[in-house]
Amino acid sequence: MPGSNLTSRASSSGSASTRLRVSKAILSHARDLAASTWCAVCHSLDPGGPLRKRKVCLRSPASGARSRSESTDFDLRDQWGPGRVALLDRTLGEVMQSAEQGCPWCDLINRACIALGLLNEQDNGVPEGEANIWLEAFQNPKITIWGPANNATSFELFTAVSEAKNESRVLSYSWQKVFYPLKLVSSNAEIKQSLPFIQNRLSECLASHKECASPTISSAFTPARLLRVTDDGCQLVCFNGRSKGLEPQAYVALSYCWGKVASTNRIVRTVRQNLDHNMVFIAQAELPLAIQDAMKLTRLLNIEYLWIDALCIVQDDVKDWELHVAEMGIIYRHAHLVIAAGSSSSSNEPFLSNRPGRPASVGLDFAPNGEDSSGRVFCRLVQGTGMHENYEERILATRVVIFSSTELQWICKGSQVCEAGHHQTNAGQQSSDQSLSVYGLTSAPETYAFWHRLVKEFSRRHLSYPSDKLPALAGIASIVAALLHSDENGEEAPDSQSGSHYMAGLWKDNLFHDLCWERHMWEIVPWRATHKWRAPSFSWASVEGNVLYNDEGLSGGGKDVVYLSEVLDAGCTTISSANPFGGVVDGYVRLRGPLKACRIQVHPLASPGFIWSHRLHVVGTPWKVEFRSDVPLARARAAAPPLSSGQDNEPEYTAVRAKPPPESDDDANPQLELEGGESAWLLLMGFWHQKYQSRVEDSDMWISCIILGRSTRVPGAFERLGFVNTHWPPWGSKFPHKEYLDLIPFIWGEEGKEEIRIV
């Protein structure tokens, strides 16, 4: 029986137990001995091999605070997957001390920080800040430095292709197995430096990539409106994009951040008032700088038409906006090229001209094993942890070129490469993104796994208008719906575009798994409630903050998963029937599963950066469950009709999602702070076993729970407060776990099942 470790050990024979303990002791000693050959701070920049048992300090990038936890380095490797190690707790002082004690790899990191201006060489004191070291098989090491002001800067260590004149000699250096050669990218950001890269990639794609050659959604598609680009401006032109006899027009599409543009005389968008004017002529000088750059690049590529959402969609016409946002996937897919202006934070920031130079790579002498193995390693600044933005366009487009602050990146269905020479794969290994394009998906499980990765990446992004969170994914969702509801011959089923299976960022046919999202441990976007309701509480779109689907557990539906709850019914009402993939006004999900009444309190150790925010006390048991709430919590009175199993003495107050601070004094709406003892509920979704490759224990059992509070909006319903994977038996409990034996029927789903509604 899964999880029988609670009872089966008592029947083991003494001799077998002794042999098992000796065996584990020997294995543990052997691994510790092997780990001693790696640096405990940087792991010699090698993602392979054993890792030391070292407690780490988990931190929140959103707050900068750090607090010690029970995790270890080898746990972190298991968390991030095979061949990946995330060393997330190293201080710059530790790196410097390790370098002084003789670690050449820590010395290399230290000198790279100085060369890139992240550390002051003249500083005699211990530097403040933290180094997060990201190691992955067949990838160059990437280091993120967190400064005292909670600012993050990332760089990559690599060898240079231009320096590998004698390839056999270079490859003979064993230390170069850690690094992979790249081209040195010019610091000159002018278009004359960038254009050859774009032209070469485009020519290769058009000539040799069969998968990029023939989109199948429509053989003759042109957007309803395009900009005809001239030397001194543009003109908005109307097309009937669905006319069968129409010759398709080649066009470039621009993806960029609108940002908050100060009041100017520039035409930032098309509205009803200026629609007629824009259809006659728009002078180049009237347009924001990012749009001017897009026009310039379109002319250089000898393309006549350009599509820009702000100008080709009538922004104050709700019907027009909803219709064209839903077509975003088709528009990007059929574009000759999509330009993603990733380095511009607003439409008035150029991405081609009048830009500061890109950071140059810096060479460092490196000789870890004596002069016989000396060489040069380069360091260069990269975006974040090396993962590029513009995720939506990258998925929807047939081919896209991304202008980042450090280099150009090219992505099409057939290849993914940057100016420095990073390819989709290194040494034949699959990239960490696992899928370059939505159009390569061939099965429902593969598509749902792709959606979970998409949500994880998309939720990291800052939107100019938070209310666009669901509409911004409408284009991708429409393509995914067509894939999920196509028949065996690849033809779309009649209801494939109805959206009947899409619910505020979740999929009804995969709803159980999609409900199991959680707050990401390493926060990029601070966790908080939205100022305005935009999605049901069971949807990740209902909160601000980056989320995670842990697909080793219930959300992935692996072979070691046991389901204890079931979805009975669900529904969602969209803002517009014309766009079933856009914003919503209401939604619900009805489930049946094991439910326990709890009392909630703020965690005694809660502080910025601490891993847990609250603690649940399961009524009538010694069981305490620590979890991270989706948003800050408050208390409120709520209607509480009794459940079928009965619930005596339910507190007058329930835990609820706290509202964000008012934007102005006029918006003030007092709410009650959580005092402790308010009601909350634990819905047991299921349990799963985590397998380990790099530690003595074979596996751990985790139970997955949704934390609920009574709804103040819908009487009798619940709202989600959080999600947790918690260890079973609870940490700190000792065999035979007598105090928890009465909970076993509940944990196995044999009692306490209730039917509830979450809104």
Side-chain angles (χ1 to χ4, degrees), residues 62-301:
S63 64
R66 307 167 77 241
S67 58
R68 191 159 295 279
S69 84
E70 295 299 320
S71 297
T72 61
D73 282 343
F74 54 68
D75 286 330
L76 290 174
R77 178 168 62 189
D78 283 323
Q79 176 184 336
W80 291 92
R84 300 180 197 169
V85 180
L87 307 178
L88 299 167
D89 71 318
R90 278 58 180 162
T91 66
L92 291 177
E94 285 180 290
V95 175
M96 178 179 289
Q97 183 180 16
S98 177
E100 291 172 349
Q101 292 173 351
C103 175
W105 310 94
C106 285
D107 179 65
L108 180 64
I109 295 173
N110 193 59
R111 288 189 291 129
C113 289
I114 294 172
L116 295 171
L118 307 178
L119 285 178
N120 188 346
E121 190 173 14
Q122 307 303 322
D123 237 345
N124 294 324
V126 177
E128 294 185 49
E130 181 179 336
N132 292 349
I133 303 171
W134 304 84
L135 307 176
E136 183 172 351
F138 305 104
Q139 299 288 334
N140 284 311
K142 297 178 180 67
I143 294 90
T144 299
I145 303 299
W146 290 89
N150 198 33
N151 53 313
T153 306
S154 298
F155 64 89
E156 177 180 24
L157 296 170
F158 65 99
T159 51
V161 172
S162 59
E163 301 242 330
K165 296 179 180 179
N166 186 339
E167 186 173 344
S168 61
R169 178 175 176 271
V170 170
L171 293 179
S172 69
Y173 298 159
S174 60
W175 60 268
Q176 291 219 4
K177 294 178 182 178
V178 174
F179 306 111
Y180 294 87
L182 299 175
K183 298 174 184 177
L184 297 177
V185 177
S186 170
S187 60
N188 188 337
E190 293 297 318
I191 184 58
K192 64 181 180 181
Q193 294 289 333
S194 306
L195 190 59
F197 173 82
I198 300 172
Q199 291 173 326
N200 291 339
R201 302 309 308 175
L202 183 58
S203 297
E204 179 183 328
C205 178
L206 293 172
S208 60
H209 294 172
K210 293 181 180 180
E211 59 269 49
C212 301
S214 54
T216 58
I217 290 178
S218 171
S219 59
F221 174 83
T222 300
R225 301 184 191 93
L226 287 172
L227 297 166
R228 179 182 287 122
V229 178
T230 63
D231 290 339
D232 56 352
C234 61
Q235 173 193 10
L236 190 61
V237 180
C238 289
F239 292 88
N240 180 2
R242 296 301 184 189
S243 176
K244 290 185 178 180
L246 182 69
E247 182 70 22
Q249 301 293 324
Y251 62 94
V252 171
L254 174 67
S255 168
Y256 66 107
C257 176
W258 286 25
K260 305 294 183 183
V261 181
S263 178
T264 66
N265 293 324
R266 299 186 189 276
I267 297 176
V268 179
R269 58 186 188 147
T270 293
V271 292
R272 293 172 181 173
Q273 184 178 0
N274 65 9
L275 178 60
D276 291 339
H277 169 274
N278 291 355
M279 292 183 68
V280 176
F281 183 73
I282 309 173
Q284 182 168 298
E286 293 182 291
L287 292 165
L289 298 179
I291 293 178
Q292 292 185 36
D293 276 354
M295 293 168 58
K296 180 179 180 179
L297 183 53
T298 300
R299 291 195 301 268
L300 288 171
L301 294 173

Side-chain angles (χ1 to χ4, degrees), residues 300-497:
L300 288 171
L301 294 173
N302 297 316
I303 303 296
E304 185 177 3
Y305 292 100
L306 174 64
W307 185 88
I308 301 173
D309 58 353
L311 294 172
C312 295
I313 301 174
V314 182
Q315 298 297 315
D316 59 352
D317 185 330
V318 175
K319 184 177 179 180
D320 192 71
W321 190 83
E322 289 277 359
L323 177 64
H324 290 94
V325 166
E327 285 190 336
M328 203 78 78
I330 302 174
I331 292 170
Y332 281 131
R333 186 179 188 187
H334 284 267
H336 188 71
L337 178 67
V338 174
I339 302 168
S343 61
S344 300
S345 61
S346 77
S347 62
N348 215 31
E349 285 189 18
F351 61 89
L352 287 182
S353 54
N354 300 318
R355 293 177 53 220
R358 297 182 293 200
S361 300
V362 180
L364 304 168
D365 292 330
F366 186 54
N369 300 315
E371 293 303 320
D372 290 340
S373 61
S374 63
R376 280 168 65 81
V377 173
F378 288 80
C379 55
R380 66 172 192 140
L381 297 177
V382 296
Q383 295 280 93
T385 59
M387 301 177 67
H388 304 310
E389 298 295 337
N390 304 97
Y391 202 67
E392 300 142 295
E393 297 75 26
R394 170 169 141 187
I395 293 164
L396 295 173
T398 296
R399 51 189 78 88
V400 57
V401 60
I402 301 172
F403 286 78
S404 77
S405 59
T406 55
E407 62 180 332
L408 297 183
Q409 296 117 36
W410 171 275
I411 300 171
C412 66
K413 297 179 189 178
S415 69
Q416 176 177 340
V417 64
C418 68
E419 277 185 284
H422 277 300
H423 286 269
Q424 172 192 353
T425 59
N426 277 321
Q429 297 296 313
Q430 180 70 20
S431 71
S432 60
D433 285 324
Q434 299 178 359
S435 175
L436 292 180
S437 169
V438 66
Y439 307 110
L441 302 172
T442 58
S443 68
E446 184 182 31
T447 303
Y448 291 132
F450 159 84
W451 186 261
H452 287 177
R453 295 195 301 273
L454 167 68
V455 169
K456 176 184 171 182
E457 292 297 322
F458 178 75
S459 64
R460 296 173 41 184
R461 302 183 62 177
H462 295 272
L463 298 178
S464 300
Y465 300 95
S467 60
D468 286 350
K469 193 146 197 169
L470 286 172
L473 278 182
I476 304 175
S478 65
I479 300 295
V480 170
L483 291 171
L484 289 172
H485 300 111
S486 60
D487 62 22
E488 294 179 356
N489 298 318
E491 299 295 329
E492 292 181 11
D495 69 339
S496 64
Q497 291 299 315

Side-chain angles (χ1 to χ4, degrees), residues 436-667:
L436 292 180
S437 169
V438 66
Y439 307 110
L441 302 172
T442 58
S443 68
E446 184 182 31
T447 303
Y448 291 132
F450 159 84
W451 186 261
H452 287 177
R453 295 195 301 273
L454 167 68
V455 169
K456 176 184 171 182
E457 292 297 322
F458 178 75
S459 64
R460 296 173 41 184
R461 302 183 62 177
H462 295 272
L463 298 178
S464 300
Y465 300 95
S467 60
D468 286 350
K469 193 146 197 169
L470 286 172
L473 278 182
I476 304 175
S478 65
I479 300 295
V480 170
L483 291 171
L484 289 172
H485 300 111
S486 60
D487 62 22
E488 294 179 356
N489 298 318
E491 299 295 329
E492 292 181 11
D495 69 339
S496 64
Q497 291 299 315
S498 70
S500 61
H501 298 287
Y502 184 70
M503 295 180 46
L506 286 67
W507 297 94
K508 192 171 183 179
D509 294 341
N510 196 53
L511 190 54
F512 184 96
H513 306 285
D514 287 358
L515 289 171
C516 297
W517 58 272
E518 53 192 295
R519 271 181 57 199
H520 203 296
M521 185 179 295
W522 315 113
E523 291 176 343
I524 296 170
V525 181
W527 58 293
R528 62 182 185 274
T530 57
H531 279 278
K532 294 182 179 179
W533 189 98
R534 70 181 177 208
S537 67
F538 59 78
S539 169
W540 54 266
S542 66
V543 300
E544 300 289 0
N546 52 307
V547 303
L548 169 71
Y549 279 106
N550 179 3
D551 281 351
E552 286 188 32
L554 262 64
S555 64
K559 62 180 180 179
D560 295 313
V561 169
V562 175
Y563 304 106
L564 299 176
S565 291
E566 59 180 327
V567 176
L568 302 177
D569 188 23
C572 229
T573 304
T574 57
I575 293 174
S576 169
S577 59
N579 181 11
F581 306 103
V584 300
V585 294
D586 201 4
Y588 74 93
V589 59
R590 195 160 54 89
L591 300 102
R592 184 174 184 274
L595 187 73
K596 279 287 187 185
C598 304
R599 302 293 179 261
I600 194 171
Q601 68 172 132
V602 175
H603 197 287
L605 300 179
S607 61
F610 185 67
I611 187 171
W612 307 121
S613 63
H614 295 82
R615 176 185 286 170
L616 289 179
H617 298 256
V618 180
V619 173
T621 78
W623 191 20
K624 298 177 183 178
V625 179
E626 298 171 317
F627 75 102
R628 293 155 57 83
S629 60
D630 295 334
V631 299
L633 301 182
R635 69 197 304 246
R637 288 187 175 93
L643 296 165
S644 62
S645 60
Q647 169 59 33
D648 297 329
N649 302 319
E650 182 174 342
E652 180 182 5
Y653 288 92
T654 182
V656 296
R657 290 183 172 188
K659 298 175 182 178
E663 295 177 328
S664 66
D665 293 337
D666 296 335
D667 296 335

